[in-house]
Amino acid sequence: MWQQMLANSWFYRIFINSRFYRWVTEPVDSWPAWPQSRLYLVYRQLLTLLEVLAQKLQNFLQSSGAYQYLVRLNLTGLLLLLVALYPIIDYILRTIGLLAGLWDELLFVLIVGLGFVYLLATQGWRQLKATPVAKYIILFWWGMLLLFFLRSPDTRIGLDGLRAVVEYSLWFFVAVNFLRDRVQIRTWLFVALLGAFLVAAYGLYQKAAGVSIPAKWVDQAERSISFRAFSIIGSPNVLGSYLMLFIPINLAFALSARRWSEYILYWGILAAQLLCLVYTYSRGAWLAFLLAMLVFGFCYNRRLLVAILALSLLVPVLAPSVGARISYMLSPQYIESSQKGGRLIRWTTALEKVEKRPAIGLGLGRFGGAVAAQNDIPGTFYVDNYYIKTLAETGLIGLALLLFVYFNAWRYAIGSYRRIRAPGDRLLAAGLVAGLTGVLAHNGVENIFEVPMMNTYFWFLLGMLWQLRENPGSQ
């Protein structure tokens, strides 16, 4: 129906009768096929020019002594380790007021530049990898770009909102193309686990030192809770999500430890992470962690599911404060409090906003997230649900695109795990899948992907799964 309407429209008739259309589609040398059209020849000439330039640059780099030194130094790999220590570096730079909010983007540009030069000199630019999930990510980009053009009352805010939504998925391609081998992957994860240990240890120090917290972090009916760990992250809920992401990965390292020193190290880090996770008193992080551990048990050893469920039932006995906080969430008092000033009223308000524009929403960056808060848009607040926040800003179309790309990313992660055969890599992949699943679930009650660190980690670790899948080990 719509094809016929388009064919009968005045715009279509003018376009197909235009000189430009005839020039583009006119066969060259009387050949009627599209591959011989002028537009195709222009494309081929540009591609040939790029090939020539790339080859000349490749020859220059291969003959350069300075470049050979950089290859041996593996500067790209060293820079990638800074991503592993994201929360620590971000905290330091924000404390001293240097490149705050900008350093991660500069680091991305530097890594991509150096990594591309290395790849060009050793394998050629055609060896850049996209992976099957790339088509879903690119479709997501195009969809969000279309929504930006359809609904952006303020172009600057719209661009910032678009950047916040699509930018961090680029880290997936960084991991896919610039992580070289399993040794580099395990080194990166080891450094990330050390960073998580330092973050958790500082959170435990806050507990011992009796650091005060804002009153709004605890409901009026839960005044018995006088402390919630936030460490250098600044938010108990984000800290809980960060720890929940790396605990299954740490557990994979602990279960595969071969020496007593490794055994003590990894189980010690795990104990600190678990204890700090408890002290965050983040119900969303706890529930997401339970889901992550169930996924880990299902992937690693299904008999572990029984132990996980048993421990979850023993939580009220082993940690009464945890049991009390979870049981309060199911009480009528919590529902009433949440409807007045908690998540339920936030979700309801967001859904009421989107009723005015159900298809395309209020516009990117205009409600319920960091961009709206930074631009002081009246009536905006953190929705505490990344999916409802996306619905409010981009409507049903944007939410469908978001769920589509995350579902395919998760399906891709599961598929990558199933294809890995080496026991050591398979166990590590189970930890990665579990952590990624937990983060996706936690976004249902928090704006976790509003935090650049968490969004970066999600996409980077997803790309790491592809490397484990395509570069199998022998363990």
Side-chain angles (χ1 to χ4, degrees):
M1 176 65 70
W2 66 268
Q3 293 96 330
Q4 184 177 0
M5 293 177 59
L6 177 63
N8 294 331
S9 66
W10 62 269
F11 174 80
Y12 180 78
R13 291 196 299 270
I14 292 176
F15 177 70
I16 63 173
N17 292 320
S18 65
R19 181 174 297 180
F20 173 77
Y21 178 81
R22 291 196 300 272
W23 181 83
V24 167
T25 58
E26 179 184 4
V28 179
D29 298 330
S30 301
W31 288 89
W34 153 252
Q36 296 296 325
S37 68
R38 295 182 187 275
L39 188 61
Y40 180 77
L41 290 182
V42 171
Y43 160 75
R44 289 300 307 172
Q45 290 170 354
L46 288 175
L47 192 62
T48 301
L49 177 62
L50 286 174
E51 290 276 12
V52 172
L53 292 175
Q55 187 62 48
K56 288 184 178 295
L57 181 57
Q58 183 175 0
N59 295 337
F60 169 76
L61 292 172
Q62 289 176 342
S63 62
S64 170
Y67 175 73
Q68 296 302 325
Y69 173 76
L70 290 177
V71 169
R72 290 194 297 271
L73 184 62
N74 189 14
L75 188 56
T76 304
L78 294 175
L79 291 175
L80 284 173
L81 292 181
L82 298 181
V83 182
L85 297 173
Y86 193 118
I88 296 175
I89 294 174
D90 187 65
Y91 175 76
I92 294 172
L93 293 180
R94 288 183 183 277
T95 300
I96 63 178
L98 178 65
L99 299 176
L102 185 62
W103 72 270
D104 53 343
E105 290 156 333
L106 295 176
L107 179 63
F108 172 84
V109 172
L110 190 58
I111 289 173
V112 170
L114 291 174
F116 181 74
V117 167
Y118 170 82
L119 192 67
L120 182 64
T122 55
Q123 304 175 46
W125 70 277
R126 285 186 177 272
Q127 295 304 310
L128 284 170
K129 310 178 190 73
T131 80
V133 79
K135 59 186 177 184
Y136 305 116
I137 297 176
I138 294 173
L139 176 62
F140 174 68
W141 292 347
W142 279 110
M144 287 298 168
L145 182 62
L146 174 63
L147 289 170
F148 163 75
F149 284 116
L150 290 176
R151 176 65 179 165
S152 289
D154 187 308
T155 303
R156 181 184 61 82
I157 295 176
L159 281 173
D160 201 13
L162 179 65
R163 176 202 59 77
V165 170
V166 305
E167 172 186 327
Y168 303 102
S169 58
L170 292 170
W171 284 102
F172 171 80
F173 299 98
V174 171
V176 163
N177 286 284
F178 304 136
L179 285 175
R180 300 185 188 177
D181 50 41
R182 293 169 58 256
V183 173
Q184 188 179 11
I185 289 173
R186 289 182 173 272
T187 301
W188 191 96
L189 288 173
F190 176 75
V191 172
L193 292 179
L194 289 180
F197 169 73
L198 294 175
V199 171
Y202 188 71
L204 296 177
Y205 163 77
Q206 290 175 327
K207 169 65 176 177
V211 175
S212 61
I213 61 171
K216 63 180 181 180
W217 283 4
V218 181
D219 195 280
Q220 291 291 332
E222 295 181 287
R223 285 304 174 188
S224 59
I225 300 175
S226 59
F227 173 78
R228 294 184 66 186
F230 57 95
S231 189
I232 61 175
I233 304 296
S235 164
N237 295 320
V238 178
L239 173 60
S241 192
Y242 167 72
L243 294 171
M244 179 269 303
L245 173 62
F246 283 103
I247 285 175
I249 300 171
N250 194 6
L251 182 58
F253 272 82
L255 291 173
S256 61
R258 295 180 176 180
R259 293 188 293 268
W260 275 104
S261 58
E262 294 179 348
Y263 186 86
I264 295 173
L265 174 65
Y266 292 127
W267 285 102
I269 294 175
L270 185 62
Q273 289 176 315
L274 287 171
L275 188 57
C276 189
L277 177 62
V278 170
Y279 282 131
T280 63
Y281 287 99
S282 173
R283 285 179 289 244
W286 290 344
L287 295 175
F289 172 67
L290 176 60
L291 175 62
M293 292 310 299
L294 290 174
V295 171
F296 182 84
F298 186 83
C299 292
Y300 171 60
N301 189 330
R302 296 184 184 181
R303 289 176 294 183
L304 188 61
L305 295 174
V306 178
I308 294 171
L309 291 173
L311 285 173
S312 64
L313 294 175
L314 289 174
V315 164
V317 178
L318 300 174
S321 59
V322 175
R325 186 159 169 80
I326 293 178
S327 62
Y328 173 68
M329 182 179 64
L330 304 175
S331 67
Q333 293 85 356
Y334 174 79
I335 301 297
E336 182 181 356
S337 175
S338 187
Q339 288 175 338
K340 291 180 178 179
R343 284 183 173 83
L344 292 181
I345 187 62
R346 292 170 182 264
W347 297 352
T348 302
T349 304
L351 293 174
E352 290 174 352
K353 292 282 187 180
V354 82
E355 286 179 356
K356 300 177 181 179
R357 294 180 178 271
I360 59 175
L362 302 176
L364 284 161
R366 299 201 63 82
F367 187 80
V371 175
Q374 291 166 2
N375 287 279
D376 297 322
I377 296 179
T380 190
F381 50 79
Y382 282 87
V383 180
D384 287 343
N385 185 314
Y386 188 73
Y387 305 113
I388 294 181
K389 172 260 179 187
T390 301
L391 174 64
E393 290 192 346
T394 60
L396 293 171
I397 296 175
L399 179 62
L401 286 168
L402 186 79
L403 295 177
F404 177 76
V405 73
Y406 285 154
F407 171 75
N408 282 286
W410 183 82
R411 184 171 61 89
Y412 173 81
I414 294 293
S416 297
Y417 163 77
R418 289 175 175 172
R419 287 189 56 178
I420 295 172
R421 291 291 176 261
D425 290 350
R426 191 173 177 84
L427 179 58
L428 185 56
L432 287 167
V433 171
L436 295 176
T437 303
V439 172
L440 288 175
H442 199 193
N443 271 289
V445 292
E446 293 290 344
N447 285 25
I448 295 301
F449 282 160
E450 285 287 312
V451 182
M453 172 188 69
M454 296 304 300
N455 218 337
T456 297
Y457 276 141
F458 176 85
W459 289 108
F460 190 86
L461 293 177
L462 182 68
M464 187 177 290
L465 262 174
W466 185 91
Q467 284 286 6
L468 286 174
R469 165 181 170 171
E470 298 299 320
N471 298 287
S474 57
Q475 292 185 1

